[in-house]
Amino acid sequence: MIDLEKAKIIYKYVQDNTRYISVQIGIGGLQPISAIEVDKVKYGDCKGLSNYTKALLKEVGVVSYYAVVEAGGDKVDFEDDFADLAQGNHIILAIPYNETYYWVDCTSQILPFGYIGTFTDDRKVMIVKPEGGDIVTTTAYVNEDNYQSIMASYELKPDGSISGNTHLVTKGSQYNAHFRLKEKTDEDIVKQFKSRWSSINNLAVANYHFDNNINDVVFTEDISLSASNYASISGDRILFTANAFNNQNVVPDRYRNRKLPFEIQRGFLDEDIFTIQLPTGYIVEALPNAKEIENEFGTYSVSFEQNADNHSVKLKRRFLLKKGYYPKDKYKEYRDFRKEIASADNAQIVLLKK
């Protein structure tokens, strides 16, 4: 059995047989409890669980290194020229294999092997080796790696309500924002859907199904839903936002005299196809124009295709946001880019009664 397969088995054993507690005071804030003690009590903090996993790996001939990291949603690096333990707040393990490192967080009972998400990704950490410490960068999920696809079809009814189905796939850092749904209660899942699609009033979830592929680190959601009063009715017209399920309507704050540069820490790629079944007795009076934008921050495109045969409209959308560090004088351009996307995402179709 190759070392990586052994490591996966050990990691799964630790996930299934231990739990996390936090120890942050006294010498326990720096020194892990012994592997023997963790094995006995079946719990530990990040230091104890990482040290325990390291000991188990050693017993089966797999090399691993204790790694100190500043964990959190924002990426914070260790200093190359003067690293010390105070620059970190969390411990993970680094497993060398085929000239790269596989990173595992031993405090999590649900993270897939080798996936660290947005908590410890793409930052300089200190690996503790017998001969001394090394500064190494953890796995980076960059731009297209952070992928989301939504394939959806929904029917618009004459009373302005909608009903339909969505098929959503996430990878990379976008996986991190979705895969924990599988561990939540039905009530919390529905709450999260309503928060995700907060622009849809009166959202009702009929059913859902999740598939968490931990080998490929891909999370899939199939959701059936409906909503009353989605569209606005004005006399003989119905007006509605075509992009029901991935509306990027957040525009960065405006700063008249920005003092500092800005950073897009994680890019992403969204690809969407929505098929909208139109109500009988109505024709399309106005369809939004297609739009394409390309600049240093990313690319955006959206198009609308009317199918007279089955009385439907197909929306195709692609949005790539690029990771980058930009000077302060670029901020207005970036804000304008996001404003233009928000406007396109909110574009409405107008239907007229025959």
Side-chain angles (χ1 to χ4, degrees), residues 161-166 189-191 193-195 197 200-208 223-230 245:
S161 64
I162 60 171
S163 63
N165 302 287
T166 66
I189 289 169
V190 171
K191 283 182 180 178
F193 288 151
K194 289 184 176 182
S195 176
W197 293 311
I200 303 178
N201 296 322
N202 310 308
L203 180 70
V205 178
N207 55 69
Y208 55 83
I223 308 154
S224 298
L225 47 79
S226 62
S228 58
N229 301 317
Y230 177 73
F245 301 115

Side-chain angles (χ1 to χ4, degrees), residues 35-245:
I36 292 174
E37 186 67 17
V38 174
D39 189 63
K40 179 182 176 181
V41 299
K42 303 302 181 188
Y43 63 77
D45 61 5
C46 62
K47 302 178 296 295
L49 292 173
S50 295
N51 185 55
Y52 175 57
T53 306
K54 183 178 187 302
L56 293 177
L57 290 169
K58 183 179 178 181
E59 287 300 309
V60 296
V62 178
V63 174
S64 63
Y65 301 117
Y66 193 84
V68 190
V69 56
E70 179 67 21
D74 292 329
K75 300 173 184 178
V76 180
D77 291 328
F78 266 67
E79 297 176 18
D80 287 302
D81 55 349
F82 199 81
D84 66 77
L85 292 178
Q87 294 170 25
N89 62 4
H90 188 51
I91 305 298
I92 56 179
L93 277 189
I95 301 172
Y97 185 76
N98 281 354
E99 299 183 352
T100 190
Y101 284 110
Y102 284 79
W103 304 91
V104 293
D105 190 326
C106 304
T107 65
S108 174
Q109 295 175 312
I110 59 174
L111 277 177
F113 177 86
Y115 178 77
I116 52 177
T118 56
F119 195 54
T120 54
D121 68 319
D122 193 21
R123 65 201 73 190
K124 293 178 181 179
V125 305
M126 184 170 68
I127 291 181
V128 180
K129 294 183 176 181
E131 63 273 16
D134 279 347
I135 302 299
V136 179
T137 302
T138 57
T139 302
Y141 307 106
V142 180
N143 299 342
E144 291 93 342
D145 295 336
N146 305 318
Y147 180 73
Q148 176 181 277
S149 167
I150 303 179
M151 299 282 291
S153 60
Y154 68 92
E155 179 184 2
L156 176 66
K157 299 173 184 176
D159 63 359
S161 64
I162 60 171
S163 63
N165 302 287
T166 66
H167 177 77
L168 194 148
V169 177
T170 47
K171 303 176 184 178
S173 67
Q174 301 220 57
Y175 170 91
N176 190 73
H178 289 256
F179 84 103
R180 290 178 177 85
L181 277 171
K182 201 171 176 67
E183 310 299 321
K184 294 182 180 293
T185 64
D186 290 341
E187 181 181 1
D188 286 339
I189 289 169
V190 171
K191 283 182 180 178
Q192 188 150 335
F193 288 151
K194 289 184 176 182
S195 176
R196 179 191 300 174
W197 293 311
S198 59
S199 60
I200 303 178
N201 296 322
N202 310 308
L203 180 70
V205 178
N207 55 69
Y208 55 83
H209 173 75
F210 303 139
D211 178 47
N212 186 18
N213 184 335
I214 62 173
N215 293 318
D216 296 329
V217 194
V218 177
F219 192 66
T220 303
E221 305 166 51
D222 288 290
I223 308 154
S224 298
L225 47 79
S226 62
S228 58
N229 301 317
Y230 177 73
S232 299
I233 299 175
S234 178
D236 290 337
R237 289 177 173 81
I238 297 178
L239 300 83
F240 68 100
T241 302
N243 184 350
F245 301 115

